[in-house]
Amino acid sequence: MQSADVNDADGFTPLRIKHVIRETTDAVSLVLDVPEARKDQFRYLAGQFVTLRVTIDGAEHRRCYSMSSSPAVESDLRITVKRDRDGLVSNWINDTLSAGDELHVAPPEGRFVLTSTAGDVVTFAGGSGITPVYSLVHSALAATTRNARLFYANRNLESVIFRDALAGLTDSHGERLEVHHHLDDLDGVVSPRHIADFIGSAEPGHDHADTDYYVCGPAPFMDTVERVLLDAGIPKQQIHLERFTVAAIPPLDPAEPVVTEEVTIELGRSTVTAPYRAGNTLLQTARLAGLKAPSSCETGSCGTCMAQVVEGTARMLNNDALDDDEVADGWVVTCQTIPTSRTVTVVYE
């Protein structure tokens, strides 16, 4: 067994599972035992995630899971994983892992974090999207004087993750925390009106200009919340989104006049020109060319795989990591980028 004091070539560290906590019938929390020698490496901000590398039936898989613990309150690092109908890794975690088992974990990453210490924090979570949101809310209450509001949507009462913990936070923080539970079996699927009513229910005189909005959950839920917030005049820079769903690669359009033939990739001291396989991302192209390109979340959220397109053009399918200025300068998250010109040259940092 590899020592937890040593990272492997891809930056993963073996960590032992300290405790397994059954949150609901289809969600489990894993408390990870981070050795003293790795405490600094695994120090994190509320809202961030770690990447797990697991092997199932001989195949390697990487998945990102947000910390549900609060660095302002708890010394242990905890992730929470909900079962999913098509979730190979999440279902494997729920079905097989026990205290004492070992997971290979990459250090924390992510930009879905508290951006200031002033103003209210208004959060929206759907299902397992509560994981980073709970960490954000808990940390804001414990480490700042900010007020927090949470709109939390679930199928029914039995599927509410952290139900008792949220009730405890409400009891201990009094008027600083408001939690609104939306249950589909009672209230119907979340609609724009539900979100608008929640936003409008803020105290009279509330200044939205000093408020940060955080959204995490299934894609349709997030799209609804984002649209309502923008329609309400909330500036885009105050809206923070966390997505962990990989965007689908669109099929090659036979009517597209330009077909990419080759991609040149500069990584460190290596420069490789490789033929392009239609539909592949730049990250997949780099791997097929034999390069060990940096990557982590592979959903366009963390920015680990960012590179600059210095020749040709490319299109990002999803980007929750780069700001507009970076995109304007040609930076892309290669895990979510496909080339759109005959030749493309990409340079990694």
Side-chain angles (χ1 to χ4, degrees):
M1 182 181 72
Q2 184 182 19
S3 169
D5 292 338
V6 180
N7 289 353
D8 64 19
D10 289 337
F12 286 83
T13 298
L15 299 180
R16 185 179 63 85
I17 298 174
K18 192 173 180 181
H19 303 295
V20 176
I21 304 167
R22 177 57 60 182
E23 302 289 355
T24 67
T25 56
D26 59 358
V28 66
S29 288
L30 307 178
V31 179
L32 302 180
D33 189 9
V34 180
E36 195 62 37
R38 285 286 174 259
K39 291 291 186 183
D40 287 342
Q41 185 180 17
F42 282 90
R43 202 175 304 279
Y44 66 97
L45 300 174
Q48 289 190 308
F49 62 86
V50 291
T51 303
L52 305 187
R53 186 185 64 196
V54 303
T55 300
I56 302 174
D57 295 332
E60 180 182 300
H61 305 273
R62 298 186 183 191
R63 296 291 188 274
C64 301
Y65 295 107
S66 299
M67 268 70 75
S68 54
S69 48
S70 165
V73 179
E74 301 154 281
S75 58
D76 287 325
L77 186 156
R78 183 183 72 236
I79 61 174
T80 301
V81 181
K82 184 178 180 180
R83 180 185 299 279
D84 185 82
R85 183 182 61 183
D86 301 315
L88 174 67
V89 176
S90 60
N91 293 345
W92 177 81
I93 287 173
N94 270 268
D95 291 338
T96 66
L97 293 182
S98 304
D101 289 341
E102 189 177 82
L103 286 172
H104 285 79
V105 187
E109 296 182 272
R111 302 186 182 188
F112 189 69
V113 298
L114 296 173
T115 58
S116 67
T117 57
D120 287 359
V121 177
V122 178
T123 59
F124 301 85
S128 59
I130 190 62
T131 303
V133 167
Y134 179 79
S135 180
L136 289 170
V137 168
H138 199 178
S139 297
L141 294 171
T144 76
T145 59
R146 306 174 77 172
N147 295 326
R149 304 180 70 217
L150 167 63
F151 180 102
Y152 186 18
N154 283 281
R155 296 189 309 272
N156 50 46
L157 190 61
E158 290 70 31
S159 62
V160 178
I161 304 172
F162 308 138
R163 180 172 53 170
D164 292 341
L166 286 169
L169 285 182
T170 302
D171 290 341
S172 59
H173 292 280
E175 296 181 353
R176 289 183 57 206
L177 173 63
E178 174 195 348
V179 177
H180 174 78
H181 287 285
H182 178 103
L183 304 177
D184 291 352
D185 64 344
L186 298 178
D187 307 315
V189 177
V190 174
S191 69
R193 172 53 57 190
H194 291 123
I195 303 302
D197 287 347
F198 179 75
I199 297 172
S201 65
E203 292 183 8
H206 174 73
D207 184 6
H208 291 282
D210 201 24
T211 300
D212 285 317
Y213 298 82
Y214 294 86
V215 189
C216 187
F221 170 82
M222 293 186 63
D223 292 343
T224 297
V225 175
E226 182 182 20
R227 185 169 62 253
V228 173
L229 291 175
L230 291 173
D231 288 346
I234 307 300
K236 188 174 181 180
Q237 63 267 25
Q238 292 173 226
I239 303 172
H240 311 276
L241 308 173
E242 185 73 315
R243 302 182 192 274
F244 284 111
T245 301
V246 180
I249 305 297
L252 182 65
D253 184 355
E256 184 69 33
V258 177
V259 175
T260 303
E261 298 175 2
E262 62 182 26
V263 177
T264 299
I265 303 166
E266 296 183 22
L267 175 60
R269 297 181 178 179
S270 299
T271 299
V272 176
T273 298
Y276 177 65
R277 183 181 299 175
N280 278 357
T281 64
L282 292 178
L283 176 60
Q284 290 169 326
T285 303
R287 288 173 174 166
L288 288 172
L291 297 174
K292 293 184 70 67
S295 65
S296 182
C297 74
E298 302 198 14
T299 63
S301 298
C302 69
T304 300
C305 68
M306 66 184 292
Q308 190 173 26
V309 176
V310 297
E311 180 183 335
T313 58
R315 175 165 60 95
M316 280 189 287
L317 305 173
N318 184 55
N319 168 38
D320 292 318
L322 307 179
D323 59 32
D324 292 342
D325 289 340
E326 291 172 318
V327 174
D329 287 337
W331 291 97
V332 297
V333 282
T334 58
C335 69
Q336 290 291 307
T337 302
I338 57 175
T340 55
S341 57
R342 189 180 67 80
T343 62
V344 175
T345 299
V346 182
V347 179
Y348 280 89
E349 286 186 301

